[in-house]
Amino acid sequence: MSQTMPTAKQRRLRSLLFWAVPALLLLLPFATNPYTQFIANGMLISALVTLGFTLVIGNLGQLAFANTAFFGIGAYGSAILAAKLGLPWLLTIPLAGALGALGGFLASAAALRGIRSYYLAIITLAFGELMRWGYLHAKPLTGGTDGMPMPPETLFGTSFSSDTLKFYVFLAVTVLLVKATLNLMRSRFGRAVMAVRENEVATASLAIPTSRVILVTFMWSGFVVGCAGALFSRHVGYVFPESFGMLHLIASFAMVLVGGLGSVLGAVLGAVLLTALPEYLRAFPGMEELFFGLIVAAVLVLMPMGLASLLRRLSPIFVERFYREAP
Amino acid sequence: MKIFTTMLATAALVASPLLADDAEWETWGLTDDAITIGVMGPFSGNASSYSKALVGMMAYYDKVNDAGGVHGRKLVAVQEDTACDSAKGLAAAKKLISQDEVFMLQGNSCSGVALALRPTIVEAGLPWIVAHAVSDSISDPMAHNIFHGVPTGSANGRAMAAFVLSKPDTENVAIIEHSNDWAHSYSNPARDYLKEHGVSPSQELTMERGQTDATAQILKLRQNKPDFIIAALYEAETAIFLRDLKKYGMGDIPVMGTAGTDLENTLKRTGDFDTVKNYYVIHSYVDNLDGTLMKPWADMIHKYAPDEELSTFSFVSIGSAEALVAALEAVGPDLTRSKLIAALEQVHDFDTGILSDPITWTATDHQGVKSSAVAGFVDGEPTVLKAWGQPY
Amino acid sequence: MDTPEPLLKIRDLHVGYGKKPILRGATYDVLPGECLTLLGANGSGKSTSLNAVCGFVTPTSGSVLFDGIETAGLPPHKIFGHGIAQVSQARDLFPDLTVEDNLRLGAMRRGGKALAQNLTRIYHRFPRLAERRKQATRTLSGGEQQMVAIGRALMSGPRLLLLDEPSGGLSPQFCEEIARIIDALKEEGVTMLMVEQNLNLAFRAADRFIVLRDGVVVDGGDVRAMAGDHDAIVRNIYL
Amino acid sequence: MLMQLTLGGLSQGMIYALIALSLTVVYRSTTVVNFGHGDFVMAGAFVSYVLVVLAGVAFLPAAALSMIAMFVLGVLFNRGLVRPIQGGPHIGLALMCIAAGYVLRGIARMVWGREVLPMPAVFDMQPIFIGNLVITGDAVFIIGTVLVLLVLFFGLMAMTDLGKMVQAVYQSPRGARLIGLNVDRFNDFSWGIGAALGALGGILVAPVSLLHPDLGASFLIKGFAAMTLGGFGSLGGAVLGGVLLGIAEQYAGAYLDSALIEITAYLVIVAVLFIRPQGLFGRKAVVKV
Amino acid sequence: MTTLLTVEGLSVRFSGLTALDDVSFTLEEGNVRAVIGPNGAGKSTLFNAISGYVTPTSGTVHLKGQELTQLSPHAIAEQGIRRTFQNGGLFPALTVLENVLTGLHAQTEGSFLDILLGRSKALKSEAENIHRARELLKLMSMDHMADTRAGDLSGGQQRIVEIVRTVASDPPVLLLDEPAVGLSPVARDQMMQIIHRLAGEKGVGILLIEHAVELVMAAADRILVMAAGARIAEGTPDEIREDRAVLEAYLGHA
């Protein structure tokens, strides 16, 4: 089956769309109330978490569940830097990303020591829970069980308690990171990542340093999710250890799978859909685990490549790996 | 950048209910025959047993409504789930405030969620009666629209420590607890109270949820031989702890537990009176759960929620609902949010007939319940106590 | 000489792994009581033939008739039940179980009635196994493991025995032993289909040979008729 | 004190051993690690609760019925949801197991989420005092039950033809096909046994602890730690790993800090995988990627 | 004629088992040297040792005088020895064009940061490589398949794409591990032409493991025969055909 690649015209349309969508979203706050705005902000954070996650389990094909750890590291990193060191929150975003990347480095150290497959899954789960234990017990730094409030701050005279202001910052961060990730995945690096997934041995025979590819992918994933953590600390205004437990893992899985393993567009789509749907299910509390569990099972059996594959079939515009040929 | 800030300002203008017409804001969520009240709580998730408090509270609304409501208005609860998760709780609060446009809020069981909600609700300005969560930081520093309607963590914790010290010759006190915010909300104020009275805990141990064995902890205690043990543990772990305590021959050491456990259930769980005969719990009520003073409340809950199983949580939020109704009565038919807040601040020494201590809200202090009673076995009978050896 | 009705009839058999076709229309017969050896270079479809016969791979088209029963498409345990057993190249023994357990397991699904009898017969044929009956097979030498593999297959009293490289990885002395075993089996009337790289062994033990190339039969004949001209076959296949 | 800690660790470790063993049974036959196993453990406890408390069945028959029910559930799960994606990447299998776990947890939550369920105590026995050492009824009950079960399990595996066939499937699925075994059916059987053994872990814990839908989550990690410690895929290693983990938790709690009990399992996982990935009793680890 | 590859005394032992026993040979520019021998002769071990997948116990490998013996596989590939794999080393989920582009990984300019920010340096180099990859595919008449998933190609097409990918960076030395296995006779002829063209026109030194007789005999300049890890004969195809030791090796006397 041949994949239809987008024509030059479709490619132009697509890059137009890529910027048109966020441009239109600038107007979103005019159509929301604080509640829907809050949900929209949450979608942007989920999109980044899912994006970082799908890179490792989808593109690199590694069974690593360290994303909750990266997320917590980012959120606590941002909160500690802002509350204890007094850094402006905006500045803590890239720093939280860097801390997340450090987490990614540790996770890849396991992968590079030959801990793969189920072992990697188990050790990364343990990593996440150890981090959570750390948040609980490093009380002077993290506030322990009482959590940590984010200090109030303003930007251009507007308080960061405004969901609208948060939205613009979140949107900017999300668009930048999605764009950078797309650049990455469409480059030689992105191909190398997928090559490692498909056949690590053959990849090395093409002068591709597979260890470095694994390391960098984990670190970039950690960076993206770490940044998302920084957004989350501002989103809720408070960080608690309970926000970074294993209970949240199933939602991430569902988002990755519904969107389509290894797809940037799918990550965003899955996150938006599955952040919105539970809000509609608010009237039926307690359905969430059942709901996400059934979705994951259904997608695995019926639509293993997720929504992204349906979209690709609809129009070549949605093919993510396109080539930038000379004009 | 200028365009951006203009846009931001416009957006804020459109989005913020604060800037809407004041008069309209005052009566938001109010009609001639209904007062909408946003009830937030963990109706799902791993803390959902706490939501029993809100079920009891809503049963009280129903009771008031059956009696004709308040000045002809029914209390209409709009229920939202927080799942005890801060992000979900924030979404729930924002939904109630800006989409359902409720008149006021009452509820919330998880302290973490309540803390995360505080800035948003302070900014929104509508009255919020905290009906279950205990963390002091929810209402301290005081916010003009937030009222605490249950004994706070410090009230409970201090009551625990006060009871411990009321036993003559208590010097060596050990603490065992879960490492979560629930346990710390009891143990930290208890520590403070002990320190204020010149006693520092001789031993601090943790026991995690789900552990089925306390051997390691008990053996450490055995070496220390404390006079009294403060145990901030959930029900199951409490039972295991008490059982192991007795097993290792330390059944005579009194143990002070939290409001999260009750005597009858603990007795049922250990199945042995000897094990629990020296166990005391914080008990915020005027009587034993199956006592005569509590029976009408139990009947009320069963009338409106027939399938509901009762637990110690079931009654805890009703007192604050009584105080709310009293304040609403006092305001009269011409109700506004500001008037309600003013009326709540007039609630003084309000005897709820259910909480062991009265509710008092003033213009400078919104933490309404200052202390709590203790329950323990006296001559084999469960008894509500004021202090060591002093029945309530 | 009259040709007897073949025990196994393979007709126009196509088998592939994914996009890679291996057998592309192989057709041949195995006669009752004979030992037929399949020759050919790597990738010519020898092992795939055996795996198709015993059901480990499902043919895409074509027919495998065993004593008149169509077995193409049946699951391996059903085919085994009809009396086809394979001694695989990797031997696939149960390394932590004893020699005796390995052998006994061979009779669990077929040949159970004659279990004790078959066991005695195999110990008689391989006295070395009798000595090591309580040893885990993982501790055995390669040759002994091969004996266990053959013994295990024989425990089911198979009507057709598939041998995939019985000499693989074994010393030259043991090749001779394999040849003797095959002779003995032939005397008992066991029909065999064999893949063997060691041409000397193949020619020494087999009655007939078939050369596969690119998944089709390109040559074949009576082993005795080829006597003395093995070089020609080597060149035909490898050089 | 040492003896007492060891005994306490032993009774806790027996539960871990059971869970690690049940995970290994499934892993050995299908190379699937059931990441939802904790919830199977929880489900087993809930089924027995329903039978004992709501239907009034006596504890022992209820435990047996619950194990049978979980056996069936395990088989159905393998047939309906695992086998269709068995050929695919391991990520899909891991996610499928996690999803199934969440579904079980969601059901438990829907029905009993708001109640804390006490299971009646099963084994009331006056503790035995041997000098300073105290042996409680619960410890006797748990250690005894699991020991009997382990003897039965390993006995069946070692002595009977069925056990040998199961071992054959574990040691070489291809070899098992060569001797005419229907490997798919054995895999179903393994899933069933795995689910039933895990359920027993939950059933044993239930009278000692409270029942709640999140009961299984921590047991899953303990099971993993026990498996990793003992050597991934080794049946005996899983049991020894579980017992050692239980004892290690008690020692760490008593001699170091009681806050460490919770993370002993995680530390064990990290330490073993970095220092000796094949575990204490495993042979050089081979994981099919 | 320049000597490209020099292998001297290469041995590989795994826990007592000698898989490769003191093998030496050279490979010259434009030469095709086939390696044949019965199963288990050590042919694949030889390839793995040269390309860095197995660390030799002793002996050396030089490429144009530069020692490569202890380098990692990707470093050896970067130095100019590229290989294919017996079971096919294509990335099935990637398109044909993407597969070829992975062969040009080291030839693409632009740092990680350039890529992340989409700087023109990285984009330009990428565009050039795409152009080059398309040209290469056109040469093999595979350009119409550029956007097909590699996993959807026929076995023969997959082999060809793998070779295109392997030679995309113009390596001086190519190791082909059974390139013709599972190919139809037509595809095999095509493979033979490709090998001839690479050696003849581009001067690539090719080391070839192959069982397809006519391909070996027609394509190889010289044949190295191995048995039990050691070299037992070397010569032209005609010499090898008549070599008694070789016949004996195949017959099973070795």
Side-chain angles (χ1 to χ4, degrees):
Chain A
M1 184 180 60
S2 177
Q3 200 169 59
T4 322
M5 287 291 161
T7 61
K9 200 171 143 193
Q10 283 169 328
R11 284 207 301 274
R12 276 196 300 278
L13 178 64
R14 178 175 50 193
S15 55
L16 192 71
L17 272 179
F18 184 88
W19 296 109
V21 170
L24 275 175
L25 283 179
L26 287 177
L27 300 174
L28 183 74
F30 295 94
T32 57
N33 63 35
Y35 163 62
T36 46
Q37 188 60 58
F38 180 80
I39 300 303
N41 294 359
M43 284 175 184
L44 294 174
I45 295 174
S46 297
L48 289 182
V49 173
T50 312
L51 179 61
F53 197 20
T54 208
L55 286 181
V56 169
I57 69 167
N59 297 65
L60 190 63
Q62 295 297 319
L63 203 53
F65 301 151
N67 61 320
T68 43
F70 302 160
F71 192 50
I73 291 170
Y76 268 99
S78 152
I80 290 168
L81 290 170
K84 305 276 169 186
L85 300 182
L87 291 186
W89 170 68
L90 280 180
L91 190 62
T92 70
I93 301 174
L95 294 176
L99 288 171
L102 190 68
F105 175 79
L106 290 177
S108 74
L112 293 178
R113 274 194 56 114
I115 298 170
R116 292 288 173 88
S117 187
Y118 293 135
Y119 290 91
L120 189 61
I122 290 169
I123 202 168
T124 48
L125 280 178
F127 177 43
E129 288 299 293
L130 282 172
M131 288 307 300
R132 207 166 63 85
W133 187 85
Y135 308 145
L136 276 171
H137 289 85
K139 197 163 170 146
L141 205 58
T142 61
T145 52
D146 301 338
M148 273 187 98
M150 288 294 286
E153 236 184 282
T154 58
L155 185 70
F156 310 126
T158 312
S159 158
F160 262 121
S161 65
S162 154
D163 283 315
T164 310
L165 176 60
K166 285 185 213 169
F167 177 72
Y168 287 124
V169 176
F170 289 10
L171 185 65
V173 172
T174 307
V175 168
L176 284 178
L177 288 175
V178 167
K179 181 65 188 157
T181 307
L182 274 175
N183 284 347
L184 214 53
M185 288 302 117
R186 284 167 182 168
S187 71
R188 63 168 171 158
F189 182 80
R191 281 191 299 273
V193 171
M194 285 182 283
V196 167
R197 174 191 70 201
E198 303 276 299
N199 188 336
E200 196 174 332
V201 170
T203 305
S205 80
L206 299 164
I208 298 175
T210 50
S211 305
R212 205 184 311 159
V213 169
I214 292 172
L215 177 85
V216 173
T217 310
F218 268 97
M219 286 181 71
W220 180 251
S221 164
F223 184 82
V224 171
V225 179
C227 289
L231 302 188
F232 184 76
S233 66
R234 190 45 93 186
H235 179 58
V236 176
Y238 229 106
V239 283
F240 297 105
E242 274 70 30
S243 303
F244 311 103
M246 285 196 286
L247 282 174
H248 294 265
L249 214 51
I250 187 71
S252 289
F253 286 138
M255 288 173 192
V256 166
L257 281 175
V258 166
L261 263 174
S263 158
V264 174
L265 175 70
V268 177
L269 219 59
V272 168
L273 268 177
L274 291 190
T275 312
L277 267 175
E279 289 301 322
Y280 286 103
L281 292 175
R282 269 190 170 276
F284 313 95
M287 294 287 288
E288 204 152 301
E289 280 157 339
L290 210 55
F291 171 75
F292 282 132
L294 289 174
I295 281 189
V296 169
V299 171
L300 280 171
V301 175
L302 305 174
M303 191 177 62
M305 292 320 290
L307 284 177
S309 67
L310 293 185
L311 285 176
R312 275 201 289 277
R313 235 173 283 162
L314 208 66
S315 161
I317 286 189
F318 297 110
V319 174
E320 278 172 47
R321 306 188 321 252
F322 70 102
Y323 319 112
R324 295 172 202 269
E325 294 182 62
Chain B
M1 197 46 77
K2 202 170 178 186
I3 300 173
F4 180 72
T5 31
T6 322
M7 217 145 81
L8 209 67
T10 327
L13 204 77
V14 173
S16 168
L18 263 183
L19 301 178
D21 184 53
D22 271 357
E24 204 180 303
W25 179 83
E26 282 286 2
T27 57
W28 223 309
L30 208 57
T31 62
D32 288 343
D33 51 10
I35 303 169
T36 51
I37 304 174
V39 176
M40 296 169 286
F43 293 100
S44 75
N46 52 8
S48 50
S49 59
Y50 293 157
S51 64
K52 290 186 167 299
L54 308 167
V55 172
M57 186 180 86
M58 289 187 284
Y60 181 74
Y61 291 175
D62 290 334
K63 184 188 161 198
V64 171
N65 292 341
D66 278 359
V70 186
H71 297 298
R73 292 190 179 101
K74 304 262 193 245
L75 305 177
V76 180
V78 184
Q79 210 176 314
E80 276 300 339
D81 180 26
T82 65
C84 211
D85 174 270
S86 45
K88 274 217 176 69
L90 258 178
K94 286 177 190 263
K95 178 165 185 285
L96 288 169
I97 295 169
S98 59
Q99 188 156 304
D100 301 328
E101 300 181 339
V102 296
F103 179 73
M104 63 168 291
L105 301 169
Q106 187 171 24
N108 212 305
S109 296
C110 299
S111 287
V113 175
L115 286 173
L117 296 184
R118 186 181 139 108
T120 302
I121 295 176
V122 168
E123 195 175 349
L126 78 172
W128 175 28
I129 298 174
V130 182
H132 191 193
V134 295
S135 171
D136 286 81
S137 314
I138 304 168
S139 48
D140 176 31
M142 196 193 97
H144 80 288
N145 59 331
I146 300 178
F147 295 83
H148 225 136
V150 284
T152 60
S154 72
N156 276 327
R158 296 174 74 86
M160 283 165 77
F163 185 81
V164 166
L165 293 186
S166 71
K167 178 173 183 269
D169 303 325
T170 302
E171 274 157 16
N172 183 348
V173 180
I175 296 178
I176 181 163
E177 60 185 337
H178 294 313
S179 50
N180 59 19
D181 60 342
W182 173 85
H184 291 183
S185 70
Y186 287 101
S187 60
N188 289 341
R191 274 190 192 91
D192 293 344
Y193 185 93
L194 289 176
K195 277 188 194 124
E196 285 163 24
H197 291 78
V199 177
S200 65
S202 58
Q203 216 171 10
E204 314 222 359
L205 301 167
T206 49
M207 176 172 172
E208 290 313 329
R209 194 167 182 196
Q211 270 174 243
T212 54
D213 188 288
T215 307
Q217 289 89 344
I218 303 277
L219 292 183
K220 284 189 148 183
L221 286 169
R222 189 157 76 176
Q223 292 175 328
N224 176 41
K225 299 193 174 39
D227 303 326
F228 220 122
I229 299 168
I230 293 178
L233 303 172
Y234 290 129
E235 256 186 355
E237 290 76 11
T238 300
I240 290 161
F241 176 72
L242 292 177
R243 189 198 60 198
D244 284 3
L245 203 62
K246 183 190 165 217
K247 201 163 90 174
Y248 296 118
M250 294 191 287
D252 291 336
I253 301 175
V255 177
M256 180 72 230
T258 68
T261 58
D262 66 64
L263 288 185
E264 283 87 350
N265 262 337
T266 313
L267 175 57
K268 221 189 306 172
R269 296 194 52 71
T270 55
D272 171 27
F273 176 73
D274 258 7
T275 307
V276 294
K277 69 174 185 214
N278 282 317
Y279 184 55
Y280 298 89
V281 295
I282 277 290
H283 188 80
S284 309
Y285 309 121
V286 292
D287 198 354
N288 297 316
L289 289 187
D290 56 358
T292 48
L293 292 178
M294 297 302 278
K295 185 152 192 314
W297 301 110
D299 292 343
M300 176 192 83
I301 295 173
H302 275 144
K303 180 175 173 196
Y304 297 104
D307 295 334
E308 184 73 1
E309 297 244 3
L310 298 183
S311 81
T312 168
F313 304 130
S314 299
F315 306 96
V316 75
S317 299
I318 299 172
S320 68
E322 290 179 72
L324 167 66
V325 170
L328 288 170
E329 293 281 4
V331 171
D334 200 8
L335 182 63
T336 67
R337 282 172 169 172
S338 298
K339 284 184 191 168
L340 175 61
I341 290 174
L344 287 170
E345 286 176 348
Q346 296 303 316
V347 172
H348 292 321
D349 263 333
F350 181 80
D351 183 1
T352 58
I354 187 165
L355 293 174
S356 60
D357 286 73
I359 298 178
T360 300
W361 285 312
T362 68
T364 54
D365 186 356
H366 284 184
Q367 296 195 331
V369 188
K370 290 299 183 193
S371 190
S372 182
V374 168
F377 286 99
V378 174
D379 302 327
E381 284 303 314
T383 311
V384 181
L385 298 164
K386 263 199 175 91
W388 186 263
Q390 274 180 52
Y392 182 80
Chain C
M1 191 171 75
D2 268 348
T3 326
E5 182 58 22
L7 182 64
L8 184 74
K9 276 201 251 186
I10 291 179
R11 292 292 173 270
D12 194 25
L13 196 63
H14 288 256
V15 182
Y17 298 101
K19 291 262 161 188
K20 236 187 270 174
I22 302 294
L23 288 183
R24 311 163 193 255
T27 297
Y28 58 89
D29 294 332
V30 182
L31 305 178
E34 74 166 345
C35 176
L36 175 70
T37 184
L38 299 177
L39 306 176
N42 256 19
S44 59
K46 302 174 310 255
S47 290
T48 306
S49 280
L50 298 193
N51 287 337
V53 170
C54 72
F56 281 14
V57 291
T58 310
T60 40
S61 69
S63 146
V64 179
L65 273 181
F66 178 65
D67 201 13
I69 304 161
E70 180 59 72
T71 63
L74 290 183
H77 63 274
K78 291 263 165 64
I79 296 179
F80 182 88
H82 287 304
I84 300 181
Q86 183 183 186
V87 178
S88 65
Q89 198 175 347
R91 297 183 198 119
D92 298 305
L93 295 178
F94 310 121
D96 294 341
L97 294 180
T98 61
V99 169
E100 181 142 323
D101 282 338
N102 267 276
L103 293 175
R104 282 167 38 82
L105 282 169
M108 285 297 136
R109 284 289 171 259
R110 188 187 149 88
K113 277 182 198 145
L115 195 150
Q117 205 179 323
N118 278 341
L119 200 58
T120 319
R121 190 148 18 125
I122 283 159
Y123 282 146
H124 182 70
R125 182 172 295 138
F126 306 113
R128 266 206 303 214
L129 296 187
E131 288 164 27
R132 298 174 199 276
R133 62 206 298 167
K134 295 290 172 212
Q135 243 171 282
T137 54
R138 133 175 73 81
T139 64
L140 265 52
S141 73
E144 290 162 344
Q145 290 192 6
Q146 187 64 282
M147 292 179 199
V148 179
I150 294 172
R152 186 179 71 179
L154 291 176
M155 284 296 289
S156 65
R159 299 166 63 202
L160 174 65
L161 187 64
L162 310 176
L163 294 164
D164 197 351
E165 307 246 356
S167 78
L170 300 179
S171 64
Q173 300 92 289
F174 200 82
C175 289
E176 188 46 40
E177 179 133 12
I178 297 273
R180 277 199 299 271
I181 292 167
I182 291 172
D183 283 345
L185 291 176
K186 264 193 291 190
E187 264 169 41
E188 286 174 25
V190 179
T191 311
M192 280 169 283
L193 178 58
M194 173 168 78
V195 169
E196 182 52 63
Q197 289 260 345
N198 184 324
L199 294 187
N200 279 328
L201 171 60
F203 292 139
R204 150 88 174 70
D207 302 302
R208 282 195 309 132
F209 72 94
I210 277 175
V211 177
L212 285 171
R213 181 178 294 170
D214 301 328
V216 292
V217 178
V218 292
D219 196 0
D222 204 305
V223 166
R224 267 153 300 172
M226 295 295 298
D229 199 13
H230 297 168
D231 291 3
I233 295 182
V234 171
R235 288 199 188 94
N236 186 5
I237 300 171
Y238 298 106
L239 299 174
Chain D
M1 177 143 151
L2 190 68
M3 280 303 291
Q4 193 68 61
L5 286 172
T6 312
L7 184 71
L10 201 62
S11 95
Q12 191 85 356
M14 279 296 184
I15 304 279
Y16 302 159
L18 200 55
I19 288 161
L21 180 69
S22 56
L23 277 164
T24 306
V25 165
V26 172
Y27 173 72
R28 277 301 292 271
S29 71
T30 59
T31 74
V32 174
V33 173
N34 183 2
F35 279 86
H37 196 59
D39 299 300
F40 281 77
V41 172
M42 178 275 300
F46 269 90
V47 173
S48 70
Y49 171 84
V50 169
L51 292 170
V52 170
V53 177
L54 304 182
V57 183
F59 181 79
L60 281 181
L65 282 174
S66 164
M67 286 176 73
I68 292 169
M70 291 308 292
F71 181 95
V72 174
L73 185 72
V75 172
L76 290 180
F77 176 59
N78 184 41
R79 287 225 181 146
L81 293 173
V82 177
R83 215 185 283 164
I85 59 167
Q86 184 95 57
H90 270 190
I91 285 174
L93 292 167
L95 294 191
M96 181 60 88
C97 293
I98 293 173
Y102 273 92
V103 169
L104 290 177
R105 208 183 300 182
I107 293 170
R109 185 103 66 210
M110 256 178 30
V111 187
W112 295 288
R114 295 181 50 249
E115 316 295 341
V116 226
L117 305 174
M119 184 92 163
V122 180
F123 199 74
D124 265 328
M125 183 189 100
Q126 281 306 306
I128 306 164
F129 291 85
I130 305 174
N132 233 353
L133 188 69
V134 187
I135 303 168
T136 59
D138 287 325
V140 171
F141 178 64
I142 289 177
I143 296 174
T145 311
V146 178
L147 269 183
V148 167
L149 195 95
L150 289 178
V151 168
L152 207 67
F153 178 86
F154 284 98
L156 282 176
M157 286 290 266
M159 310 290 220
T160 65
D161 282 342
L162 182 68
K164 297 266 169 66
M165 283 191 263
V166 173
Q167 286 195 60
V169 174
Y170 286 179
Q171 289 173 25
S172 169
R174 219 185 112 91
R177 284 202 179 86
L178 284 174
I179 58 166
L181 299 184
N182 184 350
V183 173
D184 283 344
R185 198 186 301 159
F186 275 89
N187 289 348
D188 285 343
F189 182 72
S190 290
W191 264 99
I193 290 289
L197 285 180
L200 181 65
I203 295 166
L204 287 176
V205 169
V208 193
S209 159
L210 267 186
L211 278 175
H212 54 98
D214 300 292
L215 170 85
S218 68
F219 283 110
L220 178 70
I221 292 288
K222 312 272 176 165
F224 283 159
M227 275 173 96
T228 314
L229 181 62
F232 222 79
S234 153
L235 294 170
V239 172
L240 285 167
V243 170
L244 286 178
L245 177 67
I247 294 173
E249 282 185 345
Q250 293 297 321
Y251 288 178
Y255 295 119
L256 301 170
D257 187 336
S258 47
L260 285 176
I261 294 181
E262 196 191 4
I263 52 163
T264 306
Y266 306 120
L267 294 176
V268 163
I269 289 172
V270 174
V272 171
L273 286 184
F274 269 89
I275 296 165
R276 192 181 154 90
Q278 73 270 36
L280 292 178
F281 308 99
R283 291 189 212 123
K284 203 73 188 165
V286 183
V287 177
K288 290 172 204 161
V289 182
Chain E
M1 225 164 32
T2 349
T3 300
L4 295 173
L5 185 68
T6 313
V7 173
E8 271 181 46
L10 207 58
S11 299
V12 174
R13 272 181 284 278
F14 307 109
S15 54
L17 185 91
T18 305
L20 202 59
D21 188 6
D22 193 24
V23 174
S24 305
F25 66 91
T26 61
L27 180 66
E28 281 78 32
E29 193 178 303
N31 247 329
V32 178
R33 179 181 298 260
V35 182
I36 66 171
N39 270 5
K43 306 182 295 283
S44 290
T45 309
L46 175 67
F47 266 36
N48 287 338
I50 295 174
S51 55
Y53 285 93
V54 162
T55 314
T57 323
S58 61
T60 58
V61 178
H62 287 83
L63 178 70
K64 293 186 194 163
Q66 198 185 350
E67 173 149 11
L68 303 179
T69 320
Q70 297 297 330
L71 295 183
S72 64
H74 77 84
I76 290 175
E78 202 167 338
Q79 293 298 319
I81 300 180
R82 297 264 171 133
R83 66 170 292 180
T84 65
F85 291 86
Q86 191 178 339
N87 299 317
L90 275 192
F91 310 125
L94 270 60
T95 65
V96 167
L97 185 65
E98 285 172 324
N99 263 285
V100 177
L101 285 170
T102 56
L104 290 163
H105 186 89
Q107 276 64 40
T108 317
E109 285 174 40
S111 66
F112 184 75
L113 201 64
D114 292 334
I115 293 172
L116 214 55
L117 300 178
R119 285 197 185 135
S120 59
K121 189 174 163 196
L123 297 183
K124 199 164 149 258
S125 174
E126 177 88 359
E128 283 165 11
N129 277 332
I130 289 166
H131 183 72
R132 187 158 153 200
R134 284 209 191 276
E135 290 295 309
L136 284 168
L137 286 171
K138 203 176 283 173
L139 232 56
M140 301 287 176
S141 316
M142 289 289 293
D143 47 335
H144 63 291
M145 305 291 267
D147 293 332
T148 307
R149 275 180 80 248
D152 293 331
L153 297 178
S154 73
Q157 289 168 325
Q158 288 191 7
R159 290 279 167 189
I160 291 171
V161 172
E162 193 181 354
I163 289 181
V164 172
R165 183 181 78 179
T166 311
V167 301
S169 61
D170 282 334
V173 170
L174 187 59
L175 315 185
L176 297 176
D177 197 349
E178 300 206 32
V181 82
L183 294 197
S184 67
V186 180
R188 193 172 298 162
D189 280 349
Q190 210 179 346
M191 182 62 66
M192 186 137 57
Q193 282 166 19
I194 291 171
I195 292 172
H196 273 307
R197 211 154 64 197
L198 285 170
E201 293 171 18
K202 297 204 162 187
V204 182
I206 297 176
L207 205 57
L208 170 75
I209 296 178
E210 186 50 70
H211 286 101
V213 193
E214 66 284 10
L215 183 72
V216 172
M217 294 301 164
D221 300 307
R222 289 182 77 76
I223 296 174
L224 178 77
V225 188
M226 293 178 64
R231 174 179 123 156
I232 56 164
E234 192 185 342
T236 62
D238 287 337
E239 288 164 11
I240 293 300
R241 236 175 224 285
E242 299 306 322
D243 193 308
R244 197 61 235 163
V246 174
L247 288 171
E248 293 295 321
Y250 276 109
L251 282 166
H253 286 293

